[in-house]
Amino acid sequence: MTEHNHLLALAQRCETSPKPDRTLDVEIYEALGFTVRRKPTQLASRRTPPGGIYQQGGFWKTIGAVSADIDVAVSLLREKAPGWNWSLQCLAGEESLAFQALVADCSGQGVAGSLALCAAMLRAFARSPAVEASSRKLDPSDAGGG
């Protein structure tokens, strides 16, 4: 799976998730280029941070609950794409998801504002020129063999 497709698949998972998810948090951090050490399933103590840790500079920090906390999602977006505009709104309707977000002209929705913001952010990263260029290089259908 190319990086582009992986980001889009994660965005789709954010939109279909019924609630925030620590595994999804870890996968979002990994997809955005952070070096992640996941929480071990065995020999984990109560002091081991949920989800795991990620490397930022020379320090290891606890993975933020990006799928559950709007502040974490916004700080991650500002760190990775400081010039991008974003918005978030709550929709009042029985047949639609509760939140809708827009990040760099890419939309996302979710049952929580943080999930909607993550979905839109992942779609925006998938559409960024660097990701699209690397996906084209890896796409075998673009090879002119025949």
Side-chain angles (χ1 to χ4, degrees), residues 11-19 88-101 107-117 119-120 123:
Q12 183 65 31
R13 282 185 50 206
C14 289
E15 289 187 328
T16 58
S17 180
K19 62 181 183 175
L88 179 67
Q89 64 181 3
C90 180
L91 304 173
E94 292 180 23
E95 295 192 20
S96 65
L97 294 173
F99 293 89
Q100 199 166 36
S107 65
Q109 48 189 336
V111 296
S114 52
L115 285 167
L117 191 58
R123 283 198 176 96

Side-chain angles (χ1 to χ4, degrees), residues 8 13 20 36 47 52 61 77 85 92 102 107 110 115 119 127 139:
L8 293 178
R13 282 185 50 206
V36 173
R47 292 179 45 184
K61 296 184 176 186
L77 175 61
N85 294 324
L102 191 64
S107 65
L115 285 167
R127 202 177 79 178
D139 190 358

Side-chain angles (χ1 to χ4, degrees), residues 12-127:
Q12 183 65 31
R13 282 185 50 206
C14 289
E15 289 187 328
T16 58
S17 180
K19 62 181 183 175
D21 179 5
R22 291 304 281 167
T23 303
L24 186 58
D25 293 340
V26 172
E27 291 180 26
I28 290 169
Y29 272 82
E30 288 175 330
L32 296 180
F34 289 97
T35 300
V36 173
R37 288 189 184 159
R38 294 172 182 252
K39 179 177 180 177
T41 54
Q42 299 173 352
L43 305 173
S45 70
R46 280 185 264 187
R47 292 179 45 184
T48 306
I53 56 177
Y54 71 98
Q55 189 169 23
Q56 184 166 20
F59 299 103
W60 288 91
K61 296 184 176 186
T62 302
I63 287 179
V66 67
S67 66
D69 189 337
I70 291 173
D71 291 334
V72 174
V74 169
S75 67
L76 194 58
L77 175 61
R78 286 184 177 157
E79 178 181 341
K80 288 299 196 175
W84 286 1
N85 294 324
W86 64 274
S87 66
L88 179 67
Q89 64 181 3
C90 180
L91 304 173
E94 292 180 23
E95 295 192 20
S96 65
L97 294 173
F99 293 89
Q100 199 166 36
L102 191 64
V103 174
D105 296 327
C106 292
S107 65
Q109 48 189 336
V111 296
S114 52
L115 285 167
L117 191 58
C118 286
M121 174 174 53
L122 290 165
R123 283 198 176 96
F125 279 114
R127 202 177 79 178

